[in-house]
Structure formats: structure tokens, C-alpha cells
Amino acid sequence: MQNIEWPFLAAEALDAEALTFRELRRFYEGLYPRVWVPRGVQLSAAERARAAWLWSRREGALAGLSASAMLGAKWINGDTPAELIHPNRRPPPLLITHADTLLVGETQRISGMFVTTPARTAFDVGRRLGLKVGVQRIDALMNATDVKVEDVEAVITNHPGVRGLRQLRQTLSLVDGGAESPYESLTRLLLVQAGFPRPETQIVVVNEYGVVVARIDLGWRKYLVGVDFDGKQHWDDPRQRERDVDRYFDLPQLGWNDIRVTASMVHNRPRVFLDRVGAALIARGCPKTW
């Protein structure tokens, strides 16, 4: 049996004598009709996307979160259903098809597959997903591709009256490609929806010698108030813990009040977090708008 690149179309592999039917049944399993992968393999979102494209007989265009994954956006689980723009309205489980119109310039080739461009991908994601998830997903896409809101607005201009534009515009008003994790997006969204001034993201802080001492997730440079999300890496990575110790000392010395927030606080005690940020901003002279 040859070393087969997967996912693959079983008929093509058998015709090429890359494996026998017995080997196919023993070592591989069907993911989508005609499309096979090694048994028990943990798929990435990009691998699932390629499987979906093969299922479409190489005719579909990867879209939505599948396109986001192919474009390099993070935080997309391999169990997330693949998405295609394709006329087949009866896709198998864990595969979603959309009968959308694609205009010239709204797709590109990645690894031989048609994939919607970053702007078109954000257009589709923002009008199909709810506000919170849509902001998180477009933040990640913007972070990976540097696509801008104005690029998405250009796509909107070419598709007047399409379903979901109101949702998309609301989402675009809240996105920021500076977010480096879904929880950073969620934290920023929590602040903005509570009425706080819109924070800047990824604030670089330097000391009196011009040496970078910290990069704050988000905050207000004018008031020297920052917010940092404490993710898993802050507990599991010894080097990150060492850097955090230095930050805790350096930032107050430079006048910054850096407020830490965890996933538990965002979900279970958002009022406590908002009160802490509000008190810090007021103490630094920020007019209350929340």
C-alpha cells in the first residue's frame, strides 16, 4: 500500500492502485460520500474543508468558516461543519451548502481549490452568524489576513438586498483585527456593549529607554488603563509566567493600571469586571459614558 495523501476519493485511489479495496476498508473510513480518511484521525478544519471540496467533485467554492480556515484564521475546530457554495441542496452531515452568487474577484485559489476571498468570507460569516460569534470569527479572519471593514463594504455594495445585511453591518461596527483570541474579542465586546469608550487593541508599552516592556491586549492609552485576558498559557507556560512577573512590576512603574480578566469572570461575573474597569477609568479622569 502506498502512502496516500488524505482526504482522498476512494475511486481515484483504487483506480490508481494506490491501495486495495481490502486496505481501504481496513485502514480508512468514509467521511463524506466517496471521500475517505484514515480511521480515527482527528481532522483539522482545513482537512475537513478539502474533504468537502472533493465531495463536490472539485466544483464547489469553500466559504464561511471553511474559507476562514484555509485563509489562516485560528480557533476553528475540525468538528465544525464544512461550508461550500454549491448547488447540491442535500449535503451529508457536517457539511453545509449555500446557493449563493459569486461575482468575479470573490474567489481565489488555495492549494488548487476555489476559496472565497477574505472580504467575501467576512461578508458571509458576518451575515450568517450571531453578533457575538460573528465578531469573534471576523476578528480572527482580520488578524490572519489583514482584510479591512472597507473591503467588506465593497462586497456589500455588489450584493444589495441579500439576506443578513443588517446583522452584518452591526457586526462590522464592532470588529477589530487586533484581537488575538476569541476571549479577547468577547472581552472587548462586553466593554463596548456596556457603553465604555472603544478600547485600542495590542497597545505596545515602552519604558524611558524605548525598550518594549509589555503589549497590552486592549485599553485606553489616554488614561493608562489596560485590560489583559489571562488565558491558559499564563498558567501552563513557565516563560509566560516569568514575563508576567516582570509586567506586574513594570506597568505600574510606568503609570499603567492593568486589569486582569479570566474566562470565568467574563462568563460568570461580568459586572465585577466592568465595575473594576469603570472605577479605574474614572480615577484617571475619563468621563463616565456607561
Side-chain angles (χ1 to χ4, degrees), residues 87-102:
N88 189 321
R89 303 306 295 156
R90 289 192 169 186
L94 289 178
L95 202 164
I96 300 169
T97 57
H98 305 287
D100 289 342
T101 299
L102 283 172

Side-chain angles (χ1 to χ4, degrees), residues 6-290:
W6 55 270
F8 61 87
L9 290 171
E12 291 181 354
L14 292 170
D15 288 346
E17 298 183 350
L19 77 174
T20 65
F21 184 75
R22 181 179 178 181
E23 290 169 335
L24 174 72
R25 301 291 298 185
R26 181 178 178 184
F27 299 112
Y28 297 91
E29 60 186 347
L31 179 64
Y32 298 130
R34 305 182 304 278
V35 183
W36 291 63
V37 297
R39 286 191 176 277
V41 72
Q42 197 75 24
L43 288 171
S44 68
E47 289 162 346
R48 183 172 291 279
R50 184 169 187 84
W53 177 72
L54 289 172
W55 168 84
S56 76
R57 302 181 190 275
R58 299 183 174 91
E59 295 174 352
L62 292 168
L65 295 184
S66 287
S68 293
M70 296 304 303
L71 291 164
K74 298 179 180 179
W75 320 112
I76 303 172
N77 193 290
D79 292 334
T80 302
E83 292 185 68
L84 283 170
I85 295 178
H86 189 266
N88 189 321
R89 303 306 295 156
R90 289 192 169 186
L94 289 178
L95 202 164
I96 300 169
T97 57
H98 305 287
D100 289 342
T101 299
L102 283 172
L103 302 182
V104 174
E106 291 183 351
T107 60
Q108 63 187 74
R109 287 271 193 178
I110 298 179
S111 300
M113 300 177 287
F114 279 113
V115 179
T116 54
T117 62
R120 173 63 200 233
T121 302
F123 170 82
D124 290 332
V125 168
R127 63 195 178 92
R128 290 195 172 111
L129 299 182
L131 181 66
K132 183 190 299 183
V133 178
V135 168
Q136 291 173 311
R137 293 304 192 185
I138 295 180
D139 276 0
L141 181 62
M142 294 174 74
N143 190 279
T145 66
D146 203 32
V147 65
K148 302 292 191 296
V149 169
E150 51 265 34
D151 301 326
V152 187
E153 291 284 358
V155 178
I156 292 174
T157 300
N158 293 327
H159 294 272
V162 74
R163 181 179 297 180
L165 287 186
R166 180 180 298 179
Q167 172 70 55
L168 172 60
R169 287 197 170 97
Q170 185 182 9
T171 300
L172 290 178
S173 72
L174 294 167
V175 298
D176 187 318
E180 294 187 338
S181 75
Y183 269 108
E184 287 183 27
S185 298
L186 189 59
T187 301
R188 188 188 74 252
L189 188 60
L190 181 64
L191 289 163
V192 173
Q193 290 187 313
F196 285 81
R198 186 161 184 151
E200 179 184 349
T201 56
Q202 304 308 322
I203 301 172
V204 176
V205 180
V206 298
N207 62 20
E208 64 270 28
Y209 305 108
V211 176
V212 175
V213 298
R215 189 178 63 170
I216 298 173
D217 292 339
L218 54 97
W220 300 266
R221 195 188 301 267
K222 179 178 179 180
Y223 304 109
L224 296 182
V225 174
V227 174
D228 270 312
F229 181 77
D230 261 347
K232 186 174 182 289
Q233 76 279 8
H234 292 271
W235 304 98
D236 294 347
D237 186 343
R239 288 177 299 178
Q240 182 63 54
R241 288 202 303 272
E242 187 73 19
R243 288 192 292 266
D244 286 345
V245 169
D246 291 336
R247 285 165 58 96
Y248 296 148
F249 177 80
D250 291 333
L251 286 174
Q253 299 298 312
L254 296 171
W256 279 88
N257 184 350
D258 190 35
I259 298 165
R260 319 296 290 189
V261 62
T262 63
S264 176
M265 185 174 289
V266 169
H267 286 301
N268 303 318
R269 298 189 296 150
R271 191 69 256 168
V272 172
F273 165 63
L274 294 173
D275 287 345
R276 289 176 183 175
V277 175
L281 285 171
I282 291 172
R284 296 295 176 86
C286 177
K288 185 172 182 178
T289 58
W290 54 92

